[in-house]
């Protein structure tokens, strides 16, 4: 039989979820099964949820300026930890706002310039969603583990402090995110945005 792969992973998981009996029972069952060598005795595999720090208008230019008529949206542009449930929402917002931006493009404007303006228009909102997602996904860590996660997150202490000043708790952030309306207004229809219609 084997042992739980990466004992430090098992210990870290146990420390994180020590107040959750169901998780602890599952962790213990995984350990026992791995030690017994039974079916599914592969042990425990852990993988850190990877993301990157948010882009803010002040530092985004170095990433956006050299790009041509290409852009990223959704998790490719602003990955969020799944614990806050905003990844798909932000991707849908991106798609709607991108359609609005492209529909409003003047013939004299390059596609690249419209894309850069669209990207800049999304930075503040997506940064706040990323920070809220990080906080939500890290809240069970405890002080020391949260500090380490914070160090690795790419979120500056100043950005975190500004976020906490703006949003007193996860509920207020969720309400702000849920309250989004398209820049074209809530009465706009896709066919109204089509310049050929």
């Amino acid at each position: 039989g084997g042992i739980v792969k990466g004992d430090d992973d098992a210990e870290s998981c146990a420390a994180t979820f020590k107040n959750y009996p169901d998780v602890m029972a599952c962790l213990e069952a995984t350990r026992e099964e791995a030690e017994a060598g039974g079916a599914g005795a592969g042990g425990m595999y852990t993988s850190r949820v990877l993301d990157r720090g948010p882009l803010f208008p002040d530092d985004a230019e170095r990433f956006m300026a050299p790009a041509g008529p290409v852009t990223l949206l959704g998790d490719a542009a602003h990955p969020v930890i799944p614990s806050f449930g905003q990844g798909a929402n932000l991707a849908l917002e991106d798609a709607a706002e991108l359609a609005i931006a492209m529909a409003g493009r003047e013939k004299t404007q390059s596609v690249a310039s419209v894309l850069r303006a669209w990207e800049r228009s999304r930075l503040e909102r997506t940064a706040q969603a990323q920070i809220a997602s990080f906080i939500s996904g890290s809240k069970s860590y405890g002080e020391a583990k949260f500090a380490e996660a914070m160090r690795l997150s790419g979120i500056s202490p100043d950005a975190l402090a500004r976020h906490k000043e703006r949003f007193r708790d996860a509920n207020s952030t969720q309400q702000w995110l849920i309250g989004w309306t398209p820049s074209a207004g809530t009465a706009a229809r896709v066919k109204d945005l089509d310049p050929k219609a």
Side-chain angles (χ1 to χ4, degrees):
I3 58 168
V4 174
K5 293 179 183 173
D7 283 337
D8 59 333
D9 291 339
E11 289 170 19
S12 178
C13 185
T16 299
F17 295 102
K18 66 183 175 203
N19 296 322
Y20 297 86
D22 292 344
V23 175
M24 295 304 292
C26 183
L27 184 59
E28 184 56 31
T30 302
R31 182 186 315 277
E32 289 170 1
E33 188 173 286
E35 289 173 354
M44 174 187 217
Y45 171 78
T46 61
S47 176
R48 182 177 176 269
V49 175
L50 295 178
D51 59 358
R52 65 159 175 69
L55 293 178
F56 292 96
D58 292 346
D59 61 1
E61 288 301 319
R62 65 189 163 118
F63 295 101
M64 296 177 350
V70 174
T71 194
L72 299 174
L73 56 93
D75 279 351
H78 40 72
V80 292
I81 296 172
S83 61
F84 207 58
Q86 289 299 317
N89 294 347
L90 291 173
L92 290 169
E93 285 182 20
D94 284 349
E97 292 295 342
L98 181 56
I100 291 166
M102 294 306 291
R105 181 175 77 92
E106 300 291 330
K107 291 184 192 290
T108 58
Q109 285 181 291
S110 71
V111 170
S113 70
V114 172
L115 293 176
R116 298 303 79 78
W118 168 75
E119 290 165 349
R120 281 188 294 279
S121 76
R122 298 290 297 151
L123 290 174
E124 180 61 26
R125 182 168 178 79
T126 58
Q128 295 308 320
Q130 285 181 280
I131 294 170
S133 174
F134 170 79
I135 293 169
S136 176
S138 306
K139 66 183 172 190
S140 65
Y141 286 4
E143 295 279 331
K145 286 182 77 178
F146 181 82
E148 176 65 8
M150 183 69 194
R151 187 184 67 75
L152 297 171
S153 74
I155 299 170
S156 73
D158 287 343
L160 181 63
R162 285 191 309 272
H163 177 84
K164 288 182 173 183
E165 279 177 23
R166 183 172 180 183
F167 303 104
R168 66 185 180 285
D169 56 26
N171 229 13
S172 60
T173 312
Q174 281 284 18
Q175 290 304 313
W176 177 72
L177 289 166
I178 291 167
W180 172 79
T181 57
S183 61
T186 56
R189 299 176 308 194
V190 173
K191 73 177 203 144
D192 295 335
L193 299 174
D194 184 356
K196 295 177 198 147

